[in-house]
Amino acid sequence: MTQDVQSQKSRGWILAALMLTMALAAMDSTIVATAIPQIVGDLGGFSLFSWLFSIYLLIQTITIPIYGKLADIYGRKPILIYGVIVFLLGSAACAGAWDMISLIAFRGLQAVGAGAIMATVNTIAADIYTLEERAKIQGWLSSVWGVSAILGPTIGGALADYASWRWIFLINIPVGIGSIIMISIFLKENKPIKYAKIDWLGALALLVTGGFIMFGLMQGGQSWDWISYETLIFIGIAAVLVYATMKIEARAESPILPRWVWRKRVLVGANLATIGMGCMTMGPNMFLPVFSQSVIGVGAITAGFILASMSITWPISSSFSGKLYLRIGFRNTALCGISIVIIAVSSFLFMPYPGSVAALVGVQLLMGAGFGLISTPLMVGVQSTVDWGQRGVVTGASMFSRYFGQSLGAAVFAAIFNSVLMDKLTEAPANLQNALPKVNQVVEVLQSAHSDATVQNYLQHVFFDSTHTVYIGLLTVGILTLIVLLLTPKHFGKIDKF
């Protein structure tokens, strides 16, 4: 619909605006994480600071499907501009926060805007670029995340050390204003012929259900044990909420998530595979930096670059995927990607103790190449199976699946890691039992220069084994994702083959 009204020159400006907008969301978590010591030192509330990230991920994820539907009803342009404005208001409010609770609340406001950004940027890219061009454009958009992984901590640390942590939020404002101006001038969008009725009850049900499930995944293993009656209560309430939401959506005239999203095998398969991919990205993100510092013994900067090396090959393979999916189809390209990821994870499992920087970088580069061949074909694939008026919904469902997978992965892999760690500490030799630290002090002891050499050596082996078990979990998820893709139809849709 929008391809017809965009000139070649204006598309370049729109892409620049989309990349700037994406950078707002991409850099946010990394830039905030670096400044946490200064924020806590100024505002206090150390026990609450993890909610700066949890509230953001929670609200962003559960609002994405709603914004996807709204973008189909009212058009992408007004939803994206609204999202950027709300994000900037949240940023300004964060800069003026007076305590940790207010900062957490304003981070929630930021996330309301971030949900609109994530739901519409990829949809606009699909609107204005052809099927042949989309892989290259997704490569450009993916590169934003790679650059952000490096620049975010650098900028955040510099501002926190030499200016004030409040500037990490204020620098969003000129970037956001610039993107709004370019989108307003260059993005020409045909007005929808008629506006559908908004399913507000369904939107509320999705927010409540999604919020409850995400909250439970974040708190499980921390506020309560996974094997407990609290978990059974959580599962029971979640099941009731999901059933009620499905009933509400089934009766709605224009549901937020129509039933055809869950009935088309190709969309179900692609979204389940996207959940698997999102889940797998959390293994390295959560444990590799600490593994690099505690077991191999590198510094924080080197550990950060080991993790960020994945961001080098991800956009490259994402750009290359276009030539591949035009020849062998979307599903088969994603199968190539998950196969590469499985090989990368298996390589980590065969790495001898204690590992090396070169080996970790090699694994990360290989995983990035695999993820690039999964993420872009699945995103472009689902977008190509529907018309303009449904593209926002399928894009929103795909982005929701990715972030839901990340939340699921964070919960599952944290439970695996902590379980193995506690078992190893319990099974320690008798002569070490009294000298070993508590679970929440293991990393501190590993990084201390004054720790007993025998204790430190044992803890390094424990950490090595615990991380290996996490990667066994990654391998399991990878194999399940491979099976899901094999069961997904090879060809599908009136527009393009899947």
Side-chain angles (χ1 to χ4, degrees):
M1 177 178 177
T2 314
Q3 288 177 15
D4 301 333
V5 295
Q6 303 294 161
S7 68
Q8 191 68 32
K9 182 179 178 180
S10 68
R11 290 200 305 172
W13 284 104
I14 294 168
L15 177 59
L18 294 180
M19 292 177 70
L20 278 178
T21 306
M22 185 76 82
L24 290 173
M27 289 184 65
D28 188 78
S29 293
T30 56
I31 201 171
V32 171
T34 312
I36 285 298
Q38 289 79 8
I39 293 174
V40 172
D42 188 16
L43 300 181
F46 177 78
S47 62
L48 299 173
F49 86 86
S50 63
W51 274 100
L52 292 175
F53 306 98
S54 298
I55 195 72
Y56 185 91
L57 179 62
L58 171 65
I59 295 177
Q60 175 188 250
T61 303
I62 63 176
T63 56
I64 283 175
I66 297 172
Y67 285 126
K69 180 66 176 182
L70 293 176
D72 281 343
I73 296 175
Y74 296 110
R76 330 307 189 196
K77 185 174 179 178
I79 300 301
L80 180 57
I81 291 176
Y82 162 83
V84 176
I85 291 173
V86 173
F87 188 91
L88 297 185
L89 289 174
S91 297
C94 285
W98 53 89
D99 58 22
M100 186 61 73
I101 293 177
S102 65
L103 183 58
I104 291 170
F106 296 144
R107 284 280 289 167
L109 180 60
Q110 265 191 315
V112 172
I117 291 171
M118 300 309 299
T120 53
V121 165
N122 287 292
T123 309
I124 292 172
D127 288 342
I128 66 176
Y129 289 98
T130 64
L131 182 65
E132 293 75 15
E133 297 171 316
R134 288 178 202 165
K136 181 180 179 181
I137 299 308
Q138 285 295 327
W140 280 104
L141 293 175
S142 297
S143 70
V144 173
W145 293 90
V147 172
S148 299
I150 299 172
L151 284 184
T154 305
I155 295 173
L159 290 174
D161 286 341
Y162 301 108
S164 166
W165 62 265
R166 299 180 188 275
W167 279 99
I168 67 175
F169 298 107
L170 292 175
I171 61 170
N172 290 332
I173 296 175
V175 176
I177 291 174
S179 67
I180 289 174
I181 292 172
M182 285 192 284
I183 292 167
S184 300
I185 295 174
F186 295 106
L187 180 58
K188 309 298 181 184
E189 194 171 53
N190 295 331
K191 299 287 185 181
I193 298 174
K194 62 178 181 178
Y195 295 127
K197 182 179 179 181
I198 301 175
D199 175 26
W200 291 115
L201 182 59
L204 178 62
L206 277 172
L207 287 173
V208 172
T209 303
F212 180 80
I213 294 174
M214 291 280 292
F215 177 80
L217 291 173
M218 290 174 179
Q219 293 303 297
Q222 298 184 46
S223 299
W224 65 82
D225 293 331
W226 278 115
I227 303 177
S228 63
Y229 73 89
E230 288 95 341
T231 299
L232 292 176
I233 293 173
F234 164 69
I235 293 173
I237 296 174
V240 171
L241 288 174
V242 168
Y243 178 78
T245 301
M246 292 176 65
K247 283 292 185 181
I248 291 171
E249 289 291 84
R251 296 173 181 173
E253 180 182 330
S254 181
I256 300 295
L257 281 178
R259 277 186 286 182
W260 55 263
V261 173
W262 310 111
R263 286 184 173 178
K264 287 186 177 181
R265 281 183 60 200
V266 66
L267 296 181
V268 172
N271 287 333
L272 287 175
T274 301
I275 290 175
M277 186 197 75
C279 186
M280 294 187 74
T281 60
M282 292 308 295
N285 286 345
M286 292 175 67
F287 300 106
L288 199 58
V290 185
F291 176 90
S292 303
Q293 295 176 71
S294 301
V295 179
I296 298 179
V298 302
I301 295 176
T302 303
F305 281 118
I306 290 173
L307 180 63
S309 58
M310 181 193 292
S311 303
I312 298 173
T313 49
W314 191 322
I316 294 173
S317 66
S318 179
S319 298
F320 172 75
S321 68
K323 295 180 180 179
L324 202 55
Y325 67 58
L326 289 173
R327 295 185 63 180
I328 65 175
F330 297 112
R331 188 205 68 165
N332 288 346
T333 304
L335 281 171
C336 292
I338 193 60
S339 300
I340 293 173
V341 172
I342 289 173
I343 292 171
V345 173
S346 301
S347 301
F348 184 95
L349 294 175
F350 284 106
M351 182 177 65
Y353 176 87
S356 66
V357 172
L360 292 182
V361 169
V363 170
Q364 285 294 95
L365 290 173
L366 204 56
M367 288 188 76
F371 285 140
L373 292 178
I374 301 171
S375 59
T376 296
L378 292 182
M379 172 69 75
V380 177
V382 297
Q383 290 174 335
S384 66
T385 61
V386 296
D387 297 318
W388 186 93
Q390 300 172 324
R391 195 172 290 149
V393 167
V394 297
T395 304
S398 179
M399 295 302 298
F400 172 82
S401 298
R402 181 168 175 173
Y403 286 112
F404 179 77
Q406 290 179 0
S407 301
L408 186 62
V412 171
F413 296 138
I416 292 173
F417 184 88
N418 290 332
S419 176
V420 175
L421 187 64
M422 291 178 68
D423 287 344
K424 293 289 183 180
L425 292 178
T426 304
E427 298 167 0
N431 63 318
L432 291 177
Q433 284 286 353
N434 294 329
L436 291 176
K438 295 180 180 179
V439 173
N440 59 358
Q441 296 175 326
V442 169
V443 174
E444 181 182 341
V445 172
L446 278 171
Q447 296 182 0
S448 173
H450 306 291
S451 301
D452 180 80
T454 306
V455 171
Q456 192 158 31
N457 182 63
Y458 182 77
L459 290 177
Q460 285 177 328
H461 278 84
V462 168
F463 213 96
F464 184 85
D465 292 342
S466 301
T467 307
H468 262 61
T469 309
V470 168
Y471 272 73
I472 291 174
L474 283 173
L475 181 61
T476 304
V477 175
I479 293 172
L480 291 174
T481 304
L482 177 68
I483 293 171
V484 166
L485 286 170
L486 287 172
L487 295 175
T488 301
K490 183 178 179 180
H491 300 289
F492 186 87
K494 59 183 180 178
I495 301 176
D496 301 298
K497 66 177 181 178
F498 202 94

